[in-house]
Amino acid sequence: MIKLMSVNFDDCIPNWRTQLETIEYNVLVVVREGKVRYELNGEEMIAEKDDVLFIPQSTRRSGTNWNGIPHQKHTILFTMDRHEPTGIPFLDEGKCLKFNLSHIQYAYHRCERLYEEMRGDKSYRTMICLGIMQELIGMLARELEKTELAPSKRKYADTIKSYLLEHYRDPIEIESLAKLIHRSPNYVTALFKEVHGHSPIRYMHQLRVLEACSLLLHSDMTIAHIAQYLGYYDTSYFYRIFKKYTGLSPSDYVLQGERPDISKLFT
C-alpha cells in the first residue's frame, strides 16, 4: 500500500542541496525549470526541465543545484509495503529511472493540486491525495510501456513543440509547421499526436487558454482584450474555446471563489 509522506515545491532555492544518505522512502521528482544534479548510488544523474525521476527506497542519494543555478521542481515522498508487489513494474523493480512524459503539463497541474491538498484541511483530503498520487504513478507506468520512439521522431516533435511554445499567440497552420521539418501536414499531425497525445492545434489552444486563466485572475485586462492578445479576434469564438477546455465561461472562471482546477485542460 502506498503512503504519502510529503509533497514539496522547490522554487529556485539558492544553495539548495540534500546531504548524502540512504533514503528510507521513495521519491518522485518532476523538474519544471532549470537543472538539478543528483548522485544516486555513486552515479551522477542530471535532471532538467520536463524530466521525471523515480528514486527508490534504499538509494544512497545526495542532490544539489546544477552549477549553482537554482531550479524549480516538485518532489513527492512516499513509502510502500516492500513485501507486497504493487503490480507497477517500475515501483516493484526498485531502480532509479529518468524519463519524459507526453502529458508533462498535465503532470505539473496534478503535482500542484497534490501540493495544495496536502496543505489543506478539507474533508476527504487523504483520499483525494492518494487518488492524485495513484493517477501520477499510473501515468508514469503507462509511459514506460510505450514503444521507444525513433530519435528523429522525437526531434521533429520537439521542434514543433518549441515553435508552438514561442508562437502560440500567432496564427498557426499545420502547413507552416510541416515546413519546419520538411514533412507533410498529415505527418506532422500524426507525429505530434503520437508523441504528445494530441494534435498541434489542440496544444496551441491549451497554451492560449492556460495563459488566459492567468490573465483573468492576475491582470486588469478585459475579456475582449485577452481574447485579442491571445490571437482570438472573434471574442465569441474565444468564449467557446475557453469553455470547451475549462468547462466554464471566462466570466464564471473569474467568479469562482477558489482557483478552479484547470487540470482538465491537459486530459
Side-chain angles (χ1 to χ4, degrees), residues 238-249:
F238 168 67
Y239 267 81
R240 292 197 299 274
I241 289 293
F242 191 91
K243 189 164 187 177
K244 175 182 177 181
Y245 286 97
T246 67
L248 298 168
S249 70

Side-chain angles (χ1 to χ4, degrees), residues 162-194:
S162 295
Y163 182 86
L164 291 171
L165 284 167
E166 292 181 13
H167 300 279
Y168 65 90
R169 290 171 47 207
D170 301 332
I172 300 291
E173 296 182 354
I174 295 296
E175 290 75 12
S176 63
L177 299 178
K179 290 178 182 178
L180 288 175
I181 61 172
H182 308 290
R183 292 293 187 273
S184 71
N186 287 341
Y187 179 87
V188 166
T189 300
L191 169 68
F192 200 84
K193 186 171 286 188
E194 179 183 357

Side-chain angles (χ1 to χ4, degrees), residues 9 17 27 36 39 42 53 58 107 113 122 126 131 153-154 171 179 185 188 200 209 213 219 226 240 252 254 257:
F9 178 56
R17 66 179 59 251
V27 187
V36 55
E39 181 182 315
L53 291 183
S58 301
R113 179 67 186 278
K122 293 183 179 180
T126 300
K153 283 189 173 184
R154 175 66 67 179
K179 290 178 182 178
V188 166
V209 172
C213 289
S219 81
I226 290 172
R240 292 197 299 274
D252 288 340
V254 174

Side-chain angles (χ1 to χ4, degrees), residues 48-100:
E48 55 189 296
K49 178 179 169 61
D50 295 349
D51 280 343
V52 178
L53 291 183
F54 171 62
I55 306 174
Q57 183 176 349
S58 301
T59 299
R60 190 150 177 80
R61 176 215 64 180
S62 67
T64 185
N65 285 327
W66 181 79
N67 282 353
I69 302 171
H71 62 274
Q72 280 187 339
K73 70 177 184 300
H74 301 278
T75 54
I76 304 169
L77 280 57
F78 64 101
T79 59
M80 302 181 300
D81 186 336
R82 302 181 71 176
H83 303 292
E84 282 190 27
T86 65
I88 304 295
F90 81 90
L91 292 182
D92 294 338
E93 290 170 5
K95 297 178 181 178
C96 298
L97 292 173
K98 181 177 79 168
F99 50 96
N100 297 113

Side-chain angles (χ1 to χ4, degrees), residues 16 20 22 30-31 48 54 76 92 123 138-139 158 214 221 251:
W16 175 87
L20 182 62
T22 301
V30 183
V31 183
E48 55 189 296
F54 171 62
I76 304 169
D92 294 338
S123 56
M139 289 171 61
D158 286 347
S214 177
M221 294 170 66
S251 302

Side-chain angles (χ1 to χ4, degrees), residues 133-147:
M133 181 62 186
Q134 290 175 332
E135 181 187 8
L136 284 169
I137 288 174
M139 289 171 61
L140 301 180
R142 180 179 292 173
E143 195 77 16
L144 289 169
E145 286 183 347
K146 290 183 178 180
T147 304

